[in-house]
Every structure is written in C-alpha cells, then in structure tokens.
Amino acid sequence: MLRCGYALFWLLGSVLLICVVSPVKGEAVVTREGSHLKLSESSHSNESQHGHSSNITGIPIISFKWHHVETPYLVAFWVLVSFLGKLVIEANHHVTSVIPESALLICFGFILGGMIWAADKVQTFRLTPTVFFFYLLPQVILDAGYHMPNKLFFTNLGGILVHAVIGTCWNAASLGLSLWGCQMGGAMGDLDIGLLQYLLFGSLMAAVDPVAVIAVFEQVHVNDVLFIMVFGESLLNDGVTVVLFNVFDAFVSLGGPKIDAAEIIKGIVSFFVVAFGGSLVGLVFGLLISLLTRCTKNIQIIEPGFIFVLGYLSYLTAEMLSLSAILSIVFCGMCCQKYINANMDENSVQTVRYAMKAFANGSETIIFVFLGISAIDKVIWVWNTGFILLTLLFVLVYRFIGVFFLTWILNRYRLVPLEFVDQVIMSYGGLRGAVAYGLAVMLDENKIKEKNLMVCTTLIVVYFTVILQGITMKPLVMWLKVKRAAVTEVSLLEKLTNKMFNHTLVAIEDISGQIGHNYMRSKWKYFEENWMSWILMKPSARKKQDQVFDVFHQLNLKDAMEYVTEGERRGSLEFVRNENSIIDFKKKSESESFDINNANMSNDHGAMSTTSRDPIPSVSLEMHEQIMKAVREAEAINAHHLLDQHLYKSRKQHRHRFSRSHFDINRDEKEVQEIFQRTMRNRLKSFTSAKMGVKPPKTIVKHTQKEQQQKMPNGKSMDKAKTSYSGDEGPNSVSFVHPAGIENPAFMPDLDPMDLLQIPPWLGESELDSSMVALSHRAQVDLPRTPSNLRRLAPLRISTRSTDSFTLENIPDTQQMDTQEEFLQSKLTT
Amino acid sequence: MGSRASRLLREEEIEEIKKETGFSHSQITRLYSRFTSLDKGENGTLSREDFQRIPELAINPLGDRIINAFFPEGEDQVNFRGFMRTLAHFRPIEDNEKNKNPATEPLNSRTNKLLFAFRLYDLDRDDKISRDELLQVLEKVDVEQKMSIRFLH
C-alpha cells in the first residue's frame, strides 16, 4: 500500500507538472495544429523563444532553459509517465486478472488525456503515425519474431497464411462493401464517402493487431496451436494490409474512372512483391546478423547491439522500398534466433532476450497509453451513430464468418482439426489495435473528407476490441473450456504414456519408410545443417552441435547394425526374447573401448568372455595405432556415452509458452544438473569406502549397492530402483554376473567430479525438448539405468576395465586407472 | 520397383486390403514397395530380422515391442496383409459412424488404437498390465531423470 501511495504521489506530481508546463507552450500550441510530425512542440516555437533569450541584461546564475531540452525532455517524460501508469496498474493483481493490462493502460490514457485537455483545451499530445510506426512498433514486432516458436509456426504455416491473406482480404472487402451498401441504403445519413474510400477504410480496419493480441492472449493461456494461429495471422496480415492500403489509397487518388484491369492486376502483383519482398529483406538481414555474430567474439559487450540495430534497419529498409516492414522484421527475428543463440556468448544471449522484452513491453505500454490520450481530442470527434455502430457490428460478424469458413476448409487438410471452441476463440481474438489507428491517421484528409469520422470510428473499434473483448476473453475461454496450455506438470503416467506413444510413432514412421509431413522438413534440415550452419555459425558452436551428433549417430547405428548381425548369426528368435544375448553386445562395446586404452587387456578379456563369438574385427592389437586413434576415439566414445544418455530424442514437439513478460529457461537441465550433482556426491561417499576393499566385481557391485542403500536410508539413491528391477530380468541378472561388472557405480565418481559442472552447450539452448532421454538398447544394457549416470563418460569405461583387471588378476590397479583417468580428463577439459 | 510391385500384388488383393484397412490405392502400393524392400529373403514375408535391419528401430527403446506387435501370437513371419493390418492402426481417426460393437470397428478406431497401445505394455498377452510390465516400460522409456521410479516403491 505504501508503495502504491508513493506511486500515486509521483503520478499526481507528474500530471501537475504537465499542467504547469503546458501553459508555457500555450502560444506555440495554436501554430502546431497543422503539423503531425512531432510528439512535442514544433521547432518553430523553439527558435522564437531561443532568440528571445539572447537579449539578457545581466549574467544569469541560473536560468530556466526549457526550450533547450524540450523535445528529449518531453519524450523521456512521457515514457516515465507511461511506466508509472503501468506501475500503478500492476500494483493490484486482482484488477489485472479481470481486466487486461492493455485496457487499463488505455483508461489511464483517458485520464491523462482528460487532464491535458482540461489544461490546454487542445490535445497537445497524440500518437502520431511517425512516432508509432518508426519508434514504437518495430521493437514489439522484433520481439515477437525473435521469440517466435519456429517449429510450431511452420507446422501451422498453411493455416496461418490462409487466415492472414484470405481472411484479411475478406474482412476488408466485406466491411467496405457492406458499409457502402448501408450508405446507399441511407442508414448513415449524409456522408460523402465513395466506394473506394469505403474499401480503403475496410482495408485499414481489417487487420488483426499483433500488439493487442499478445497483450490479451498473454493473460489467457490458450493452447499452442490456437495461439500461434491467431498470433501468426496477426503478424503476417501486415503484408496484406500494407498492400491493400496502398492500393486503395492509390485508387482513391486516381479516382474512379481510371481504374481498369491493368491497375487491378498491378495491385495483385504488388501484393506478392510486397509480401515476398518484405520477407526477403528480413531474411537477408537475419542472415547478416548471424554472420556478424559469428565474428564478434572480441566485442561481446556490444554484441547485443547488433541485433537491435540490424533489426531496426531491416524494418526501415523494407519501409524505404515500400515493402512490408512488419514482415521484414518478423522474418529477420525468426531467421536469426537459432544462430544467435549458438554463436553468442551466454551472457549476450540473455542480454538480448531481456532487452528485447524490456523494449517491447515498454513500447506496448506507451502505445496503449497514447491510444487512450489520443481519444480526448475534440477535433477528431465526429459522431455518426450509424457509421460507428455498423462498423462495429460488421467487424465482429465478418470476423466470425471469415474464420469459421476458412477453418472449415482448412480442417479438411489438417491432421488435427481445429475444434469449434478454438474457432470461436480465434474469431473473438481478432483484435484491432494501434496499427489500424496509425493507418487511419495517415489518411490524407484532402482526399478523404470524412477522415475524422474514420479516425474516430477506428478508435472506438480499437477500444471496443481491446477493452471489452479483452475483459470478456478470459471468462469466455473458461466458459467454453478451451484446451488451455498445460500449466501444470503432467503426471508421471502422462509423461510415460506420451513418451511411449512418441516412440511408437517414430518406430512406425521408420518402418513405413516415410516421415509423413516431415519429409520436407528433413530435407530442409539436411540443407540447413550442411550449408547454413556451416556459413552462419561459429566453428566452435557448429562443432559442438554437429560433430557430436554425427558421432553419436554413427556409433549408434554401428551398434545397431552389429546388434542385428549378431542376432542373425545366433539365430533370430533368441535375439529378441532372450535377454541374455545382450551380454555379447555389452562385451563387444567394452572391447571397443578396450581398443582404445589397452590392447593387451582386451585380449585377455576376449579370452574371458564366455558366450561371445570372436572379438570384433576392429580390435587391433597394436599399441601404436591405438594411441594415435585414442585421441579422437576417446573423444568420440566420450561423446557417445554422453549422448547415449541424453540425446535420443523422440522427435517430440517442444512445448512452448510465449509470453511478453517472462521467459522460460529450460528447467529440465537444471533438474538434471541438480540430480546429477546430488548423486555424484553420494557416489563419492560410497566410492571412497568401496575403493578400500577390492573384491571381484560381482561382489563389489552388490557391496556398493548394499552400502549405498545403507548409507542413504532416506531412499534417495536410485540404486534402490535398480535392485528392484524385477522387470527386465535379463540385463539385470546378467549385469551382476558379468565379469566386467559394468554396473559398478563405485568407480564413477572418481572421474566424474571434473565434469560436474560441464553442461554440454546444446543443453543450454532453449529449443531443447523437455524430454531428453530415452535410453537406447545399448545404453540400458551397458550402463546402470539410474538417472545418476547422466554424465557418464569414457572414464567409466576405463574404470570398469580396471575392474576387469581386478577380476582377472586381482590387483588393485589404481595406478593405471589414475594415469588413464588423467589422460581422459585432459581430453575432456580441452 | 513399381512394376515388380504391381506384378506381385494383384488388384483383388489391393481391394481386399483397402476394404479391411482403409488405406488408399496409392498408399497400399507405396507400402507394398516398402514391404518388398524390407524383405531381403524375398519370400513374401517379413521376419523379425528384417525389421531389426532398420537402424533407427534398433535404437528405439520400444523397437522390439513394436516389432512384436506386427507378429501375431507365436508366429515368426508376417505377410503383407498382417503388415498392413498393423499399420492400419495408425491411420487418422474417422469418426463417421460410431459402432458399438468393437469387432466391427475399423482398425483405426480409437478403441483399436488403444488396444494396440495396450498390447505394447502387456508383454505376456494376458490382457492385463501387471506392475512389472509397467515398470519395464518405465525403464525402457526412462521417463525423466527425476526420482520418479523411486516413487513407485
């Protein structure tokens, strides 16, 4: 309450200051009416007063140089006022949960506007198109593009495009025509608006506004598909709006008779040019940003600056070429997200994200406040009941009709059809906002006599949609029980079942030899990975991404192949039903690692293995080769085991939540890290005691397990789970019997503390699936299935091999282990 | 490949499969060519090894279960009909007619899909999912690195 009180005090103070300040400019105000180009006074008054001050009589100790700082002062001041307004509004959550923030900001704008008008009798401050389109809108859209969930967007791109293009055209045409029809029918009294002007009005009214959509939908978390449809549409329809507006504007200027087929065709062509041209410009700038961030290692402090500047330039460039500026900046943001995250330093990435959110949020606040202020202006207040009410009605009705019709068509081609409820929300969520107002103000009043009426109507429609529809959106959603975005943690059973199904689907896809809709995507991925990443990503970032995956895949596939050939050799059925056959596989994998480290040992081990066939051909007995290969292969094996645990992704869709004010950090990696650290500590404890007594692995395994169970009576360890795996009998019993004792966790901690804090860079990416692991066959068999084996790396192999040496020769080979451990650690930490 | 497929797969068969599974003509032909490409032994049936030869399947944790699902109880070979029958479960649902009788429902109805999924869990085919079976799945799928398994004890 106290804070609220302070805020109110400040607010009051600031408002009073406005009222004090404005009379000072009283004279200049009158001259200002004509110019729409500045937020503050025209320079006219500046100069006159400035000249005034040069006639001084004595030396002023202090002088009030208002005009010196006028423009920047007012700008900063208004920003401050808007933010203070937001502060006041957000003070009480009960209010904001009912009424969306945007509506409250508009109301706040009303109040402010009223005060100013009362002081000045004229609206001194208004949302002018220049300020809006050049200074306030770009950052909002850049933020939208940068945080756009690309996968979701492109999956639904067809639907989004249909709605954006066809829907907007339909809205514009239907609105314009019906209004004109009504005028013909005399419902609106005596208005001097021609058909073309109606169409122009329709085109500026038709566009769903991204700012408003974000603002309202953020409070109502609807499901992803619904959100992306509306949001994507609101972004992409700018292409159409710009074209329609310019075309009809040109038509209005040309006048009726001059419009023939050629002009119309030119109009259609211009649509394609504007839309694709704008996107292309954005793409070019996005690539430029990615290239730049590749080289900015030495100036990490101002790295984020590049993104903002280039994003803004893309906007301005498109505007300059009369292409769609919004499309340009959206695609710029969408294109560069991935490469920026890969190339830039972690801190820079965070800075960019945070700064973008800050700017976007700030701009939005200012936009809404000024939307409110602009209303209180007698000049534009031309009331025509018929026109206004009919516009409102038509806007709503045609939106519904358009959405339902288009969705009906779309659903015939969609895998997951949009339900009725979703469609209702989509229609209801077609909010108009500041873009429409900006366009309306940009109308030329010489050509369009009734400009003020149009501006007024636009404002009323904007208020209606933002305030009324905003307020009623949430209850509507709840009432209709729209499938909300899953805010809660899904239960274990759900997670399990989801994963099951994902794996099943992937398996069936592989069996049937096609990847369904993702054929294009796999082609794109191939292109992207081999060409674009190569050019646009820093070599180090690329290496982390690609090579490890490649190695993983290669090794895994190699394993899989060997698995299969092994099975074939031994007889088919046994292979699947009999879990014991997995032993061989395990042995084989060990032999692989043996090559790397010590050929002799593997030889012995080969002799030891009872049920395997000949050791793999790749086992080479020459130390030379081994050591040469060892460097690369060690890394490869490290990576392999690392990835084994983590990265078999079941091609699940990443669950996304777009928000203006928060951004999610991938929580799972923290959990993973935390669990890992915890269990490592436990292991360390158990390890130190286990190391003391060296026994044959069989007992060692059991010993440590028992120990751990004793040590952690709170049941924290996953070993409990391991021992109680009554399920897959095979691997478990085998693992206990197997001489290699691979499941010996005791030797892990010795080497792993070094890697406690190493997070693979790919885990840092926010795009990562929340489900990270599905253990491959091999992983399940080879390594303990406890979550603690998160960062198991080749050192484990070494240690298990040394346990082999224990069994074979019963010597605690700790020294050998240490040297190898060092060797590998040095490899890991490079 | 195309001519080979059409030679070995007669029109009547295609019609029958179409009726039984609901796939379209082109889909059936396409899947038949896939079937023959998997069938290394060229005896018109697939064995388990043929499936396992698909590398991605081998690294899929549920791979062997899915493969099992293709083979009816006790058999080791699956012919094209059986192949299609299993794949038919994965067609999109058409909620045109709601049949009360599960026996007459098309293969891709919700019930049949669920039945398929159920069979993935139920290894011993006793029409029940025992606790052990559930645990096995949990392990294979390795839900999260949380201590989720612990909670089951």
Side-chain angles (χ1 to χ4, degrees), chain A residues 599-657:
Chain A
N600 298 332
M601 282 323 232
S602 65
N603 230 354
D604 289 339
H605 178 68
M608 263 301 284
S609 61
T610 50
T611 46
S612 76
R613 49 200 192 89
D614 299 327
I616 328 168
S618 59
V619 172
S620 153
L621 302 180
E622 278 150 5
M623 287 291 275
H624 269 318
E625 268 182 0
Q626 295 321 302
I627 293 178
M628 298 237 276
K629 269 199 243 168
V631 176
R632 272 170 290 133
E633 299 241 20
E635 267 179 12
I637 295 279
N638 293 346
H640 180 211
H641 288 294
L642 185 67
L643 294 173
D644 240 359
Q645 298 295 325
H646 285 285
L647 295 171
Y648 178 78
K649 293 187 186 169
S650 57
R651 299 183 221 173
K652 187 170 136 195
Q653 294 233 351
H654 177 65
R655 203 176 76 200
H656 174 84
R657 261 172 61 197

Side-chain angles (χ1 to χ4, degrees), chain A residues 323-387:
Chain A
L323 304 171
S324 165
I326 291 186
L327 277 183
S328 161
I329 206 173
V330 164
F331 280 101
C332 177
M334 279 170 64
C335 172
C336 67
Q337 340 167 325
K338 178 178 171 193
Y339 305 108
I340 289 181
N341 287 331
N343 281 343
M344 290 206 303
D345 179 48
E346 185 63 33
N347 290 327
S348 300
V349 173
Q350 288 289 67
T351 311
V352 169
R353 292 174 76 191
Y354 217 103
M356 253 197 230
K357 288 263 178 230
F359 284 143
N361 217 325
S363 289
E364 222 179 78
T365 314
I366 300 176
I367 291 175
F368 282 121
V369 169
F370 269 89
L371 266 182
I373 294 179
S374 313
I376 317 295
D377 186 355
K378 202 148 196 207
V379 178
I380 61 168
W381 218 250
V382 180
W383 186 267
N384 182 322
T385 322
F387 189 81

Side-chain angles (χ1 to χ4, degrees), chain A residues 178-191 193 198 384-388 390-391 394 453:
Chain A
S178 344
L179 280 179
W180 182 65
C182 287
Q183 184 187 311
M184 291 293 122
M188 290 190 274
D190 191 21
L191 285 176
I193 310 181
Y198 270 120
N384 182 322
T385 322
F387 189 81
I388 294 175
L390 280 172
T391 311
F394 286 140
L453 174 61

Side-chain angles (χ1 to χ4, degrees), chain A residues 272-317:
Chain A
F272 287 104
V273 170
V274 163
F276 286 114
S279 319
L280 205 63
V281 170
L283 229 65
V284 166
F285 273 91
L287 293 177
L288 205 58
I289 295 180
S290 315
L291 274 174
L292 264 176
T293 50
R294 198 183 151 171
C295 325
T296 52
K297 197 167 57 132
N298 299 322
I299 47 167
Q300 272 172 3
I301 284 293
I302 61 168
E303 247 182 339
F306 279 116
I307 291 128
F308 291 105
V309 166
L310 281 172
Y312 191 47
L313 277 179
S314 79
Y315 185 87
L316 291 178
T317 312

Side-chain angles (χ1 to χ4, degrees), chain A residues 500 503-504 507 511 563 573-579 581-582 728 731 775-777 780-781, chain B residues 48 51-52 54 56-71 116 119-120 123 125 136-137 140-141:
Chain A
M500 274 278 293
H503 288 317
T504 312
I511 290 178
Y563 193 41
L573 288 182
E574 214 181 310
F575 189 54
V576 175
R577 303 271 187 199
N578 181 6
E579 305 281 12
S581 60
I582 298 168
D728 284 329
L775 293 178
S776 62
H777 259 284
Q780 289 160 22
V781 163
Chain B
R48 285 204 168 79
F51 280 105
Q52 277 142 9
I54 305 170
E56 285 88 6
L57 211 54
I59 60 178
N60 190 319
L62 294 177
D64 51 350
R65 292 178 187 229
I66 309 251
I67 294 172
N68 272 343
F70 276 90
F71 294 89
F116 183 83
R119 288 206 199 95
L120 285 181
L123 290 176
R125 308 262 174 120
Q136 282 185 53
V137 176
K140 280 206 177 278
V141 170

